[in-house]
Amino acid sequence: MRYPSAWLAGVSRGDSIACELRLQIIRGTIKQGEVISENRVAADFGTSRSPVREALKTLSNEGLIRLERMGAVVLGLSMKDLEELYDVRYLIESFAQKRLGEGGHETVLVHLKQLIDKMELAVKYNDSVEFSHLDYTFHEAMIVGAKHARILHLWKSIRHIVLTVMLITTDEVFSQGEEKLQTVIEKHRTLVRAIETRDPAVIQQVVENYFADSNQTLHSSIT
């Protein structure tokens, strides 16, 4: 699996390299304890060492590697790290959904429904990459729509890892067939319906159920 080229349009060379390395680290292709050489990565990507340094700095800030004099040591993501990532997602998204449930966000809800319809099309065409990107876009749209600067700042600090994990876990979901995929789509529709109730208790229960199920998928996808 490689990072989809369409997702890298307009990003810097350093960001592009970071995306590829992030995917390999989280998938376990590059294992914990391995040393990443600046020169080797530069040769692999046909670039100078400058964008490689940029990429390694990004991955270090995300806690995936520890920088050394001429490269980096891979720290990776343990299952505990991933569970904590989902805890942070839960806190961010439950806040965002309750905020949307306060009303006045009809345009956001229309956009969310459109994204779900596009997810249906991605299933029809068996496009797991497009599905994972739409899934990510759906969740980010809720967070952006909540219009809370600090929550958005927190989300941006984890969004690249979240997107990469979604790319990996969506492969597992697609392997389980269309019935499972329709279940995932219905979970998203349920989130929107909960927001439309404007009932904080209903929204809270739905988001708890959503993340409980997502954690099960996480455990079966990444070991």
Side-chain angles (χ1 to χ4, degrees):
M1 175 189 289
R2 291 185 64 82
Y3 217 84
S5 58
W7 297 9
L8 302 176
V11 306
S12 71
R13 187 61 170 150
D15 285 340
S16 175
I17 294 170
C19 287
E20 293 288 355
L21 293 177
R22 185 185 298 111
L23 179 59
Q24 292 181 49
I25 291 170
I26 294 176
R27 278 184 65 84
T29 306
I30 302 176
K31 300 188 182 302
Q32 182 180 12
E34 287 190 31
V35 176
I36 298 176
S37 161
E38 282 187 12
N39 290 334
R40 176 63 182 272
V41 173
D44 287 346
F45 285 90
T47 187
S48 68
R49 284 167 51 187
S50 180
V52 175
R53 291 194 192 101
E54 178 189 339
L56 295 182
K57 183 178 180 181
T58 295
L59 298 178
S60 174
N61 290 338
E62 294 174 355
L64 294 175
I65 63 173
R66 182 180 69 250
L67 294 177
E68 302 278 329
R69 188 173 65 87
M70 289 299 292
V73 176
V74 175
L75 302 176
L77 281 182
S78 66
M79 185 53 68
K80 183 175 183 295
D81 292 327
L82 287 165
E83 288 171 349
E84 289 181 356
L85 177 71
Y86 269 61
D87 288 342
V88 174
R89 275 194 62 194
Y90 167 77
L91 292 171
I92 293 172
E93 293 192 35
S94 59
F95 175 89
Q97 289 168 38
K98 287 178 181 176
R99 186 132 167 157
L100 292 177
E102 293 172 359
H105 298 91
E106 286 71 21
T107 302
V108 177
L109 296 178
V110 169
H111 181 47
L112 295 176
K113 291 174 183 178
Q114 291 170 340
L115 289 169
I116 294 171
D117 289 341
K118 290 179 181 179
M119 291 169 73
E120 292 269 16
L121 284 175
V123 170
K124 179 180 178 181
Y125 291 102
N126 197 35
D127 191 339
S128 63
V129 171
E130 178 65 7
F131 188 96
S132 62
H133 190 253
L134 289 166
D135 191 356
Y136 165 84
T137 304
F138 176 93
H139 291 276
E140 180 160 274
M142 289 192 293
I143 295 161
V144 172
K147 298 186 183 302
H148 191 289
R150 292 297 175 180
I151 287 292
L152 183 59
H153 179 75
L154 181 57
W155 166 251
K156 287 181 176 179
S157 72
I158 64 169
R159 66 200 297 258
H160 294 297
I161 294 179
V162 169
L163 178 55
T164 305
V165 171
M166 281 186 171
L167 183 61
I168 295 168
T169 56
T170 300
D171 260 4
E172 168 66 20
V173 173
F174 264 70
S175 73
Q176 296 178 42
E178 186 169 347
E179 184 177 347
K180 175 62 175 178
L181 287 162
Q182 291 301 329
T183 299
V184 172
I185 289 172
E186 182 58 27
K187 282 172 51 184
H188 288 74
R189 293 196 193 280
T190 301
L191 285 174
V192 175
R193 287 195 294 266
I195 293 169
E196 289 177 327
T197 69
R198 301 191 181 184
D199 185 332
V202 171
I203 295 171
Q204 181 69 24
Q205 187 59 60
V206 168
V207 73
E208 284 180 9
N209 293 342
Y210 182 95
F211 276 94
D213 186 69
S214 294
N215 270 309
Q216 290 181 0
T217 302
L218 176 69
H219 278 266
S220 63
S221 303
I222 302 176
T223 57

